[in-house]
Amino acid sequence: MKYIQWIATRKLANIRISQLDDDCCIIKENYFSSSSSSLITHKFIQVYIISLSADITQPSVCFTKIKQTANTNVTGINQIYFRRKSIHATILFQQLDLFKHNHNSPPQTDSSHITSKISKARAIIQYLQNYFTTISFTKWKIINSEDLVHSRLIDCEKSLTSFLTLLGLNTSDTVLKNVLTYDSHRFIDDAIWWDQSEVGERILNRSTPIPPYKFTYSNDFYHLHGTRSFEQYSADSRQCYRDGTFAQIPSETVSNRKSTDSPNRCLTNSFDCRFSDIYSFDDREQLYEESNRNDYFSIKPIKCGFAIPSIFDKVRERFARNHTCETIILTSIINCYDNLPGTEGDIPFSTCYVALLDTKTFNALSSGIYQAAPHWTLIDLGNINSLFSFPAKTIETLKTCGQRMFPLAKWIIWLDGKSYLMRITDLLFRAKSSVFAPRHTTIDRTSAIEVNYTIERIRERENGSRSNFDKFVMDIKRQEKEYIRDGFYSRADKLNLTLYDIALFVYRNNHPCNFRYLCGWHNEVNYFAYRGQLSVYYSTIRLNLIQHLHFLPRNFYHTFSHLKICP
């Protein structure tokens, strides 16, 4: 269903999904309409979901209806039987999805419960396969979901293109080609680990792999579930995907939007609003709106920056197809505020260092006494002072957007210039969660307490610009007021959440819940005060993902004072 969700989200076709009961009568139907002007949107896709406990014995009602439907020969329309090779995984994933759908009630994934369903399901699946391959006067194509999974982007694109062609879509259409280029990484094996048949079978057989004896990128998701069981973590990931993980792209962004907020923050923050397409409080709230439980999935693109073309696309375009940078060490420095961060000890193979700089800092690090080490790739973003309302907002924004710029990376490690990280290979080898950062140096610092500390730090930094200081305080007070009204501070305190030090932030890419969390954090930074420290926990609490976040052990890092490298 993940491919149908993608097609519906990007509005590539009109889709109707009909779910059938054991007698093959429609018990639920959803229609997803396309409103795009592209020619491909004239295509219609009908999806039938057959119950794996259906009565297909002759001459049952279901047997008759399947025969009638299968024998319908419509000229120019391909008929596809889409299935999973592994019956065990099919049943197991159904149970995991029910677990999330039923408000986290305990999933029935023990082998005895599953075994009772497997024999019936096997009979139905085998019957359908045999039937669809023996119909003489109409042609059915059988597709196994496992056959669409590849580790290389180019192979994934070929499979997706063939699949869309079978569905009748025009893969030479410019809109569709752009969508394929933008989204195909979402279907490589590393990105859909949560839906791979082998994973389902291992959960069912209680045979998840033991941790390896040395660091590897392969199948590390088995060991990154934190305090949750891997079974629960997999269910979370499946639900996060259904809730939406396709970021809004420029072609979906409506131009000339106006803010409905009062006061209108977009009058002075024009680029801020356009970059994330967040013009109002309602826009910011979209991520947290629960999907209708009668729907199979959400089809709303996620607001997550990059909604319009900008200088930041320069980074994505450079790394979008790069399979060699499996670990990205990322930093951003403006106005020469810091030197490049340091690392020490073993570094994972396939590691790339990327520094996003304004021109002034780029020139300082390209020559002179602070010349960058050769392993750093320096990218000149130009004069970024003309973009976000606060120049420092660039850094806080890019901190939350690594997943957008480096879609094929496995791990993304953000380092502020004052950070120093040690023994990275050992750190990732020992990782037990997919998101972690250092504990704040003041160990009892909380989100509520941080507000006044942040205002005082900004007072010192903006002592030459009263207008900038007043504007920031207005943003932070607006944020504080909403967080009090929303109950965020009280919930964070009940969870005993002491702050991260986000000068250093590490996360596993291509985990669906991490994507939603980071997009939510990005939207808070964009809509409210740009200091990410104030909102680092907000979206993870709203999305009920706080158990996915852990602290970084103290023996792996240092932080120092800022060191300005040019006048």
Side-chain angles (χ1 to χ4, degrees), residues 492-555:
D493 289 344
K494 285 180 180 178
L495 292 169
N496 196 29
L497 285 181
T498 55
L499 277 183
Y500 274 158
D501 180 351
I502 59 172
L504 199 164
F505 192 82
V506 185
Y507 58 94
R508 184 60 165 84
N509 206 16
N510 287 324
H511 281 224
C513 296
N514 293 355
F515 182 91
R516 290 180 59 79
Y517 157 57
L518 290 166
C519 288
W521 186 20
H522 163 82
N523 293 345
E524 295 303 295
V525 167
N526 180 275
Y527 185 76
F528 287 120
Y530 72 83
R531 297 286 292 186
Q533 196 80 31
L534 298 168
S535 54
V536 63
Y537 288 140
Y538 181 82
S539 67
T540 191
I541 287 181
R542 281 289 299 270
L543 296 169
N544 195 27
L545 299 175
I546 195 63
Q547 294 183 72
H548 293 235
L549 277 61
H550 283 226
F551 285 111
L552 172 65
R554 181 65 186 85
N555 60 326

Side-chain angles (χ1 to χ4, degrees), residues 322-563:
N322 188 324
H323 277 282
T324 62
C325 295
E326 295 186 284
T327 294
I328 293 287
I329 297 178
L330 176 65
T331 193
S332 181
I333 304 168
I334 63 171
N335 199 29
C336 297
Y337 192 67
D338 278 308
N339 197 356
L340 291 167
T343 59
E344 175 186 311
D346 291 340
I347 305 297
F349 54 92
S350 303
T351 293
C352 297
Y353 292 73
V354 181
L356 310 179
L357 316 165
D358 65 347
T359 298
K360 181 179 179 181
T361 310
F362 177 85
N363 291 337
L365 290 172
S366 298
S367 61
I369 61 173
Y370 292 108
Q371 186 171 358
H375 57 265
W376 279 98
T377 297
L378 307 183
I379 298 179
D380 184 358
L381 297 176
N383 177 21
I384 59 178
N385 291 336
S386 61
L387 298 178
F388 289 110
S389 51
F390 291 94
K393 189 172 185 176
T394 297
I395 296 174
E396 298 294 306
T397 297
L398 295 175
K399 187 178 296 187
T400 66
C401 287
Q403 58 184 347
R404 303 298 318 282
M405 296 181 288
F406 309 98
L408 296 182
K410 303 295 200 319
W411 285 95
I412 296 177
I413 301 173
W414 172 272
L415 298 178
D416 277 2
K418 65 177 184 176
S419 300
Y420 193 89
L421 189 59
M422 302 176 291
R423 306 191 313 282
I424 298 175
T425 301
D426 189 39
L427 170 64
L428 299 183
F429 169 69
R430 297 177 183 276
K432 300 301 180 186
S433 64
S434 60
V435 181
F436 47 92
R439 191 183 297 272
H440 198 282
T441 51
T442 306
I443 61 174
D444 61 349
R445 186 74 62 86
T446 65
S447 296
I449 294 172
E450 179 65 18
V451 172
N452 288 332
Y453 281 102
T454 299
I455 291 175
E456 290 308 309
R457 282 198 301 276
I458 297 299
R459 189 193 305 277
E460 295 173 5
R461 181 179 296 182
E462 301 291 348
N463 59 6
S465 176
R466 181 71 190 186
S467 61
N468 279 353
F469 174 73
D470 289 344
K471 188 175 186 305
F472 177 80
V473 171
M474 181 179 69
D475 286 344
I476 196 173
K477 287 299 183 181
R478 184 166 56 94
Q479 183 175 27
E480 182 184 38
K481 180 180 179 181
E482 172 57 27
Y483 283 6
I484 292 173
R485 185 204 66 79
D486 180 71
F488 164 63
Y489 295 135
S490 60
R491 281 178 286 168
D493 289 344
K494 285 180 180 178
L495 292 169
N496 196 29
L497 285 181
T498 55
L499 277 183
Y500 274 158
D501 180 351
I502 59 172
L504 199 164
F505 192 82
V506 185
Y507 58 94
R508 184 60 165 84
N509 206 16
N510 287 324
H511 281 224
C513 296
N514 293 355
F515 182 91
R516 290 180 59 79
Y517 157 57
L518 290 166
C519 288
W521 186 20
H522 163 82
N523 293 345
E524 295 303 295
V525 167
N526 180 275
Y527 185 76
F528 287 120
Y530 72 83
R531 297 286 292 186
Q533 196 80 31
L534 298 168
S535 54
V536 63
Y537 288 140
Y538 181 82
S539 67
T540 191
I541 287 181
R542 281 289 299 270
L543 296 169
N544 195 27
L545 299 175
I546 195 63
Q547 294 183 72
H548 293 235
L549 277 61
H550 283 226
F551 285 111
L552 172 65
R554 181 65 186 85
N555 60 326
F556 284 101
Y557 68 93
H558 296 299
T559 54
F560 303 101
S561 299
H562 294 289
L563 175 63

Side-chain angles (χ1 to χ4, degrees), residues 17 30 49-50 65 88 141 243 284 317 374 417 436 449 458 462:
I17 302 176
N30 295 80
I49 301 176
I50 299 176
K65 289 185 176 181
H88 294 77
K141 174 74 173 178
D243 287 340
R284 174 257 189 186
E317 290 165 3
F436 47 92
I449 294 172
I458 297 299
E462 301 291 348

Side-chain angles (χ1 to χ4, degrees), residues 179-191:
V179 168
L180 263 173
T181 299
Y182 211 86
D183 289 338
S184 54
H185 71 277
R186 305 306 307 276
F187 298 103
I188 60 174
D189 59 350
D190 187 66

Side-chain angles (χ1 to χ4, degrees), residues 4 7-8 10-17 30-36 38-47 167 169:
I4 297 299
I7 294 169
R10 294 303 188 209
K11 300 188 182 302
L12 301 178
N14 300 302
I15 301 172
R16 183 169 63 203
I17 302 176
N30 295 80
Y31 186 79
F32 303 97
S33 175
S34 168
S35 59
S36 171
S38 172
L39 291 176
I40 57 175
T41 61
H42 291 283
K43 294 296 180 181
F44 173 76
I45 299 172
Q46 170 68 58
V47 178
L167 292 175
L169 302 187

